[in-house]
């Protein structure tokens, strides 16, 4: 893992709160990994912000991120041509090489972002993509070429089916379920998968300070004891953490 200063090629607004950033980099992350991003000087937050990888091709890396606080707000102000400090890629991603057969990729909210790269990277699989949003979907065109089916649920019912994304399908009909989103959504899905014997991988989200497991600020409890989401995850087998 290394820290480098990289040129921003694009940083555009997708929705009221979601932005898409494309950055030059020679590193190629694994699906499910993330970077620590910092694009400000002493006037900004002390710590970098962990942002998952939405896409990568060996020359660039794409981030789809939501403005939630001061750090991500400062990231959203950066323009093409400016420099960004990247540390990474960080963490353990999805074990793509182990995933075969019929696969459900399930996302909630900004958990959609890393699963675009995951869906694109799956090979020799039949992939269905289930996405949950508050009111309206975004960037689904990024994933449609790589999956057989896309289904949407929204909290408001303004698009797709009203309600929970977990109600869109039966995990018993799949060999693998890969998911990223709100904790309560993933826990419900993980328990349903365990009940029917479907292998489920979850990508956890935690507040992070260092990104390398030194500060222990993102510790989670697993069946093997306490682990760091940044270093040991963010991807875990569902039965390890739920």
């Amino acid at each position: 893992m290394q820290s480098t200063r990289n040129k921003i090629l694009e940083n555009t607004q997708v929705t009221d709160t979601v932005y898409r950033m494309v950055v030059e980099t020679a590193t190629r992350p694994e699906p499910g990994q993330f970077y620590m991003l910092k694009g400000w000087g002493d006037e900004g937050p002390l710590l970098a912000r962990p942002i998952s990888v939405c896409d990568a091709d060996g020359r660039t890396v794409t981030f789809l991120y939501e403005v939630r606080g001061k750090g991500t707000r400062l990231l959203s102000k950066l323009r093409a041509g400016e420099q960004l400090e990247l540390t990474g890629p960080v963490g353990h991603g999805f074990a793509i090489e182990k995933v075969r057969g019929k696969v459900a990729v399930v996302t909630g909210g900004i958990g959609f972002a890393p699963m675009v790269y995951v869906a694109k990277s799956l090979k020799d699989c039949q992939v269905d993509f289930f996405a949950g949003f508050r009111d309206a979907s975004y960037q689904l065109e990024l994933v449609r070429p790589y999956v057989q089916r896309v289904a949407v649920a929204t909290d408001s019912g303004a698009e797709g089916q009203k309600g929970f994304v977990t109600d869109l399908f039966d995990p018993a009909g799949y060999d693998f379920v890969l998911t990223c989103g709100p904790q309560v959504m993933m826990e419900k899905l993980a328990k349903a998968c365990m009940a029917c014997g479907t292998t489920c991988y979850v990508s956890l989200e935690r507040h992070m300070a260092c990104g390398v497991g030194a500060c222990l600020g993102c510790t989670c409890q697993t069946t093997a004891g306490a682990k760091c989401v940044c270093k040991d995850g963010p991807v875990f087998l569902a039965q390890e953490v739920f």
Side-chain angles (χ1 to χ4, degrees):
M1 187 183 63
Q2 58 180 339
S3 293
T4 57
R5 293 197 64 80
N6 303 71
K7 182 180 178 181
I8 298 172
L9 301 179
E10 175 189 335
N11 194 24
T12 55
Q13 190 169 7
V14 175
T15 73
D16 289 345
T17 59
V18 176
Y19 287 74
R20 181 176 185 266
M21 180 187 288
V22 182
V23 182
E24 281 186 340
T25 177
T27 59
R28 187 160 193 163
E30 297 176 1
Q33 287 189 303
F34 63 96
Y35 287 81
M36 302 295 289
L37 277 61
K38 190 173 184 181
W40 50 83
D42 295 337
E43 76 284 357
L46 174 64
L47 302 173
R49 293 297 185 263
I51 307 291
S52 59
V53 175
C54 182
D55 200 3
D57 59 13
R59 300 181 304 276
T60 64
V61 61
T62 299
F63 303 102
L64 197 64
Y65 64 97
E66 185 175 30
V67 174
R68 292 180 174 176
K70 185 176 182 180
T72 47
R73 190 175 302 112
L74 288 171
L75 289 177
S76 73
K77 302 299 182 184
L78 297 172
R79 296 293 176 259
E82 294 188 271
Q83 296 287 309
L84 177 75
E85 183 179 328
L86 290 184
T87 301
V90 181
H92 291 279
F94 288 90
I96 294 296
E97 70 282 355
K98 296 180 180 179
V99 180
R100 293 291 184 270
K102 194 173 182 182
V103 183
V105 176
V106 187
T107 75
I110 199 61
F112 168 81
M115 306 311 285
V116 172
Y117 189 32
V118 171
K120 182 178 178 179
S121 302
L122 289 168
K123 307 299 181 185
D124 303 318
C125 300
Q126 179 184 332
V127 184
D128 292 338
F129 197 98
F130 302 95
F133 300 93
R134 291 189 187 94
D135 297 301
S137 65
Y138 52 81
Q139 300 284 280
L140 287 176
E141 66 274 13
L142 299 178
V143 75
R144 289 190 190 278
Y146 308 105
V147 301
Q148 279 69 46
R149 175 190 173 200
V150 174
V152 172
T154 54
D155 295 342
S156 65
E159 182 180 350
Q161 180 173 308
K162 182 177 181 179
F164 302 116
V165 66
T166 49
D167 294 334
L168 292 177
F169 72 105
D170 181 359
Y174 292 87
D175 300 299
F176 288 85
V177 171
L178 316 179
T179 183
C180 183
Q183 181 89 358
V184 64
M185 179 206 83
M186 292 195 294
E187 184 169 358
K188 178 181 179 181
L189 183 55
K191 289 179 178 178
C193 288
M194 286 186 278
C196 66
T198 297
T199 301
C200 179
Y201 287 97
V202 300
S203 179
L204 301 183
E205 180 181 283
R206 292 289 191 278
H207 289 292
M208 297 179 186
C210 69
V212 295
C215 70
L216 304 180
C218 63
T219 301
C220 70
Q221 291 300 319
T222 76
T223 53
K227 291 188 177 182
C228 292
V229 171
C230 68
K231 181 181 177 182
D232 302 308
V235 179
F236 295 89
L237 271 170
Q239 61 263 35
E240 288 185 72
V241 291
F242 293 124

